[in-house]
Amino acid sequence: MATWDDVRQVALDLPGAVEEPGPTSTSWRVGSKAFCWERFLRPSERAGLPDPPGGPALGVRVADPGVAHALAAARPDLWLVVAGYGLHPMALLHVERASFDDVDEAITDAWLCRAPTRLRDAFLAR
């Protein structure tokens, strides 16, 4: 199973990525754009989920809202979409249930959505 240390490692291994600690959560950015972040669920969001994470979920940027819904439909044990997220290109990953490969793929895809073209092209050319 994946850990938050894995999240940090994967995010910071991506070109140009920086960690931005906040007062209540941490985000990872490339340039000025967040590509993933800790997301604590609100009590009302928790109440609407059959088995919410005990701690934060990993918020990730996705290509479009349809991708978020497709992830949640395909793997409801790992992916969540809460009110508000379904309107934006963002999804939530249940880190404690995810494998390292799940975390790596989610964060890398999120970074690809937000990275500047020159970084993205150089990364994909490797």
Side-chain angles (χ1 to χ4, degrees), residues 1-84:
M1 293 293 103
T3 67
W4 284 96
D5 287 337
D6 295 331
V7 168
R8 177 173 284 110
Q9 174 194 338
V10 169
L12 292 177
D13 281 349
L14 292 163
V18 296
E19 185 172 278
E20 189 171 288
T24 59
S25 66
T26 301
S27 65
W28 293 269
R29 298 178 177 275
V30 58
S32 63
K33 298 177 180 180
F35 60 93
C36 63
W37 53 91
E38 289 177 307
R39 171 65 156 72
F40 289 90
L41 298 175
R42 296 176 184 97
S44 61
E45 293 169 338
R46 288 183 169 288
L49 295 170
D51 192 15
L58 178 66
V60 296
R61 190 67 179 226
V62 295
D64 64 61
V67 171
H69 290 286
L71 289 168
R75 299 205 47 205
D77 57 321
L78 292 183
W79 290 97
L80 314 163
V81 177
V82 295

Side-chain angles (χ1 to χ4, degrees), residues 44-122:
S44 61
E45 293 169 338
R46 288 183 169 288
L49 295 170
D51 192 15
L58 178 66
V60 296
R61 190 67 179 226
V62 295
D64 64 61
V67 171
H69 290 286
L71 289 168
R75 299 205 47 205
D77 57 321
L78 292 183
W79 290 97
L80 314 163
V81 177
V82 295
Y85 269 48
L87 303 174
H88 302 285
M90 300 178 283
L92 298 171
L93 178 66
H94 195 310
V95 172
E96 291 80 13
R97 291 187 183 166
S99 69
F100 180 87
D101 289 342
D102 292 326
V103 166
D104 187 38
E105 181 179 1
I107 293 173
T108 302
D109 287 349
W111 180 87
L112 287 167
C113 288
R114 304 298 275 171
T117 303
R118 67 177 170 74
L119 284 179
R120 188 174 58 241
D121 289 349

